[in-house]
Amino acid sequence: MHILITGGNRGIGLGLAEHYRSKGHEVTATSRDGATGMALDVTNFGSVRAMADAVTGPVDLLVCNAGVYLDKGEDLETGYAPELWAQTFAANVTGVFLTVQALLPNLRAAKGAKVAIISSQMGSSTKASGTSLIYRTSKAAALNLGINLSNALRPEGIAVGIYHPGWVRTDMGGAEAGISVDEAVEGLTARFAALGPETTGCFENWDGRPHAL
């Protein structure tokens, strides 16, 4: 199985790449600087096209993991600068779409291909706390994008799932987070394995529980 993981140089992405390699799968892990072997800046259309041109053959599982969280601690009165909105949506939403779009020929070449979009519970309307407005809104958009893609790709037999990976002890999640990278990877890989035509469009927690939209 060929698995392509965006943002595969650290945190959850790195954990997923290591897990799948340990199982003998072919893994293409991307990073902005190409330190993982494949350079990809999901916010740059030229970079996305160059990545797609370099990937040959079927992609059985595409994990859209790359993302940013730039507005942690921003103040409602004076914060949330326009450039933070643009940068966040370019990475967390547009970048997901461009990556899926660019790799459509590779996904179509695989039998029963899957796309896993790493969103967040912070994108759910049930978790609207009034903080981190940009990140929450971008993850809500990524969730909506994933559901729309699931309907668009359903006739082609390509399944799309959207996942909350848990509050994970990474650079983004922080040291106080509830679960380790290994726990998140164990749960997420089980979710990806279960994804198929019957469950396409799902929004699930890392541990298999369905998440409210």
Side-chain angles (χ1 to χ4, degrees):
M1 187 164 67
H2 181 195
I3 299 147
L4 193 147
I5 303 167
T6 67
N9 58 317
R10 62 180 181 174
I12 296 169
L14 176 59
L16 288 168
E18 291 176 340
H19 169 86
Y20 283 120
R21 286 193 181 108
S22 73
K23 301 297 183 182
H25 297 295
E26 178 187 358
V27 176
T28 300
T30 77
S31 61
R32 285 190 178 187
D33 60 6
T36 58
M38 176 74 72
L40 173 62
D41 178 353
V42 297
T43 70
N44 182 295
F45 179 70
S47 178
V48 174
R49 292 308 316 175
M51 175 276 300
D53 289 343
V55 176
T56 59
V59 171
D60 300 283
L61 171 62
L62 168 61
V63 182
C64 295
N65 169 71
V68 296
Y69 185 177
L70 304 178
D71 63 322
K72 190 179 295 186
E74 287 286 301
D75 177 73
L76 182 60
E77 297 294 329
T78 61
Y80 301 108
E83 57 267 25
L84 293 182
W85 286 91
Q87 293 166 13
T88 301
F89 270 74
N92 294 358
V93 186
T94 309
V96 172
F97 173 76
L98 292 178
T99 302
V100 174
Q101 182 185 52
L103 291 172
L104 276 175
N106 308 83
L107 293 166
R108 287 168 172 154
K111 183 177 176 60
K114 305 177 185 185
V115 177
I117 297 173
I118 304 301
S119 181
S120 171
Q121 66 176 357
M122 291 172 70
S124 168
S125 60
T126 65
K127 299 290 184 178
S129 70
T131 61
S132 300
L133 301 181
I134 302 175
Y135 183 77
R136 290 178 188 277
T137 306
S138 74
K139 288 302 185 180
L143 169 58
N144 185 272
L145 172 62
I147 294 171
N148 274 283
L149 285 173
S150 75
N151 289 323
L153 295 173
R154 187 193 305 267
E156 300 188 53
I158 299 172
V160 181
I162 309 97
Y163 303 94
H164 167 55
W167 184 23
V168 188
R169 291 190 289 275
T170 62
D171 290 342
M172 184 182 291
E176 301 302 315
I179 64 172
S180 67
V181 169
D182 287 345
E183 289 173 294
V185 166
E186 181 180 359
L188 288 172
T189 53
R191 305 285 74 72
F192 302 164
L195 177 62
E198 299 80 12
T199 57
T200 189
C202 63
F203 181 33
E204 294 179 341
N205 289 283
W206 64 280
D207 58 5
R209 291 176 295 122
H211 203 298
L213 301 179

